[in-house]
Amino acid sequence: CRPDGTVVSGPLSGITLVVTRAIDQAAILVAALVEQGAVVVEMPVIAIVDPVDGGAALEEAVRDLGSYDWVVVTSSNGACRIVEAISSQGLTFGDGDHPRFAAIGPMTAEPLLEAGLPVDLVPNKAVAEALLDEFPVPGPGGRVLLARAEIARSVLPDGLRSIGWKVDVVTAYRTMAPEVDPGLLDRARRADAVTFTSESIVRRYADLAGGPEPVDAVCIGPISAAVARDLGFRVVEADPHSVAGLIDAVYNLARS
């Protein structure tokens, strides 16, 4: 049963899971897990906030969006910020007069697709290296707008430039570490498993928990999975790298 005494049933009945996503992004995952009978400990370990410039650089880039051949987003946060900037400026695109969009993984593509923006490239694996493997070579003067977090790996911009693209990197958002209630952290440590959707979330949670507690982790993709393994977690990786894949991975863990 849940902490309020409600009796639940389902394939995840009796399983307690920690959801560590930012509070404004966790609703779909939490609802799906609860519907299947799980007890969920919601403990957001990062918060998504505006960049230092308040989003001015992103707004400026979007005003000039027609000059780019591709817009690349590496997280659902970046995708949401791109959609918000396009919407705030009232931009609409006819056939052939907009850039192509690329997203690392289906979860990242969702905000673009929901806004009616076609996503032309989603690699099979949700990592920068896979996107680079599938990215086309540029024509003369080819330009890419890369919207991402303030702190991120350099693999993607460096790789795109190495094959000839001119890349403008714009900070779409920052992550901050909110305060976590000690009682909530204690509940999280005693859960059956913890879910991770990014590398930064894995590191922040491990710092708070003092290590891999609980030891079982369900990770949305290979980067978060690799970091979790390095920190001592026993990892199940989602396939596909999406919320649906994450839930399937939780099922697999529950049955093991």
Side-chain angles (χ1 to χ4, degrees):
C1 66
R2 296 192 179 102
D4 63 1
T6 304
V7 177
V8 295
S9 61
L12 299 180
S13 180
I15 302 295
T16 299
L17 298 161
V18 186
V19 172
T20 53
R21 297 196 79 187
I23 195 166
D24 57 342
Q25 298 178 312
I28 293 175
L29 177 58
V30 170
L33 294 173
V34 170
E35 184 179 357
Q36 299 304 317
V39 174
V40 175
V41 179
E42 292 187 67
M43 195 183 81
V45 298
I46 65 167
I48 308 303
V49 299
D50 287 338
V52 173
D53 68 357
L58 182 61
E59 291 282 346
E60 182 178 352
V62 167
R63 278 194 292 272
D64 194 30
L65 207 60
S67 69
Y68 292 99
D69 299 280
W70 285 86
V71 175
V72 177
V73 289
T74 59
S75 71
S76 57
N77 295 311
C80 287
R81 294 301 174 106
I82 281 284
V83 168
E84 290 168 3
I86 289 172
S87 177
S88 70
Q89 295 182 34
L91 297 180
T92 57
F93 304 109
D95 292 340
D97 66 352
H98 60 81
R100 302 174 76 183
F101 290 86
I104 293 185
M107 184 175 172
T108 301
E110 285 177 5
L112 300 175
L113 295 171
E114 290 172 359
L117 297 170
V119 180
D120 296 285
L121 177 55
V122 180
N124 290 327
K125 294 191 68 175
V127 292
E129 292 82 352
L131 184 64
L132 286 172
D133 287 342
E134 299 182 33
F135 212 82
V137 296
R143 298 182 70 200
V144 172
L145 173 62
L146 173 57
R148 62 180 195 168
E150 180 181 52
I151 299 173
R153 297 193 303 156
S154 63
V155 171
L156 191 52
D158 289 351
L160 290 172
R161 289 175 180 130
S162 73
I163 61 174
W165 288 98
K166 174 177 170 48
V167 181
D168 292 337
V169 180
V170 177
T171 298
Y173 64 96
R174 295 178 294 147
T175 59
M176 303 289 286
E179 292 295 323
V180 174
D181 178 80
L184 192 61
L185 180 57
D186 185 58
R187 285 185 60 203
R189 288 193 183 104
R190 292 184 280 109
D192 296 293
V194 58
T195 61
F196 294 129
T197 54
S198 75
E199 172 188 359
S200 59
I201 289 177
V202 178
R203 296 188 188 281
R204 170 66 175 159
Y205 178 85
D207 285 344
L208 287 168
E213 294 184 67
V215 69
D216 286 315
V218 183
C219 298
I220 202 162
I223 300 300
S224 57
V227 173
R229 288 189 188 97
D230 287 346
L231 292 172
F233 289 94
R234 187 168 55 207
V235 172
V236 177
E237 186 179 325
D239 184 17
H241 307 313
S242 64
V243 170
L246 196 71
I247 294 167
D248 286 343
V250 171
Y251 293 157
N252 293 335
L253 177 64
R255 290 194 294 263
S256 63

